[in-house]
Amino acid sequence: NDMIGGPATGDGNMISGNHGPGVLLEGSGSTVENNAIGTDLTGQGAEPNQGPGVETSDAAGVASGSNSIAGNVISGNGGPGVQFNQASDTAVNNFIGVGGDHVTAVPNTVGILAQRGPEAIGGISGSPNTIADNTGAGIAIVDPSATTETTGVSVYDNSIFGNGGLGIDLGNDGVTQNNPLNPAFGPD
């Protein structure tokens, strides 16, 4: 239930140049809002965190509550802009892969890496994520533990463009062919 940053002007932090993730959330109920994560002081260049900009890890398996990542510039990181590792995470109204002017390319390796859903990426009308100019996929959805069910990741109401890989990559392995005989195990 931590708050990193806040909704008002001046509430945000610059979280850059760390050897691991910029922010690591464990447990549920935390909010990361209005921060610059992975950019330099100008907001137009990279001062990368070596891991993800924001990483969630619900290590205790808590399913109630949510980790909310909203209203941040998450760009220039050495890993994904955002990496979700457990259920009940949300990302809305972020600028991922672009600078503080919301235009200049400041790429992460992948915009959002979603593992072990369900996550909600976008979905609040009028509060889309801009996920652009990352070197790999805009959103990569993988779930190495999913052998009997789908990942359950919801992606909607986002602006995804100009990434080096697919806009949304199921499996993070390029184009995934439809398989009508597959009982929907894993990301396809």
Side-chain angles (χ1 to χ4, degrees):
N1 296 310
D2 298 316
M3 172 65 94
I4 300 170
T9 301
D11 284 352
N13 302 287
M14 181 181 147
I15 305 170
S16 300
N18 297 290
H19 290 284
V23 177
L24 175 61
L25 300 175
E26 295 181 334
S28 62
S30 298
T31 301
V32 180
E33 186 173 13
N34 203 23
N35 299 288
I37 302 171
T39 66
D40 64 12
L41 286 172
T42 69
Q44 310 312 317
E47 181 67 38
N49 297 297
Q50 297 308 307
V54 178
E55 181 176 357
T56 68
S57 179
D58 203 343
V62 178
S64 62
S66 67
N67 292 318
S68 177
I69 295 122
N72 301 287
V73 173
I74 307 172
S75 301
N77 294 287
V82 178
Q83 181 171 322
F84 291 131
N85 293 325
Q86 192 53 278
S88 302
D89 299 319
T90 60
V92 295
N93 199 31
N94 294 290
F95 295 89
I96 301 171
V98 295
D101 62 359
H102 307 163
V103 175
T104 302
V106 186
N108 303 289
T109 57
V110 171
I112 296 176
L113 177 62
Q115 303 182 98
R116 295 187 187 167
E119 292 91 5
I121 300 171
I124 297 177
S125 183
S127 296
N129 294 295
T130 297
I131 304 167
D133 301 320
N134 297 287
T135 57
I139 299 172
I141 300 173
V142 297
D143 190 354
S145 68
T147 56
T148 59
E149 60 186 46
T150 60
T151 61
V153 177
S154 298
V155 179
Y156 49 101
D157 195 27
N158 296 287
S159 180
I160 305 169
F161 60 92
N163 296 289
L166 297 174
I168 300 172
D169 190 341
L170 302 179
N172 200 23
D173 56 1
V175 175
T176 301
Q177 300 296 320
N178 289 330
N179 182 353
L181 301 177
N182 188 328
F185 298 159
D188 57 17

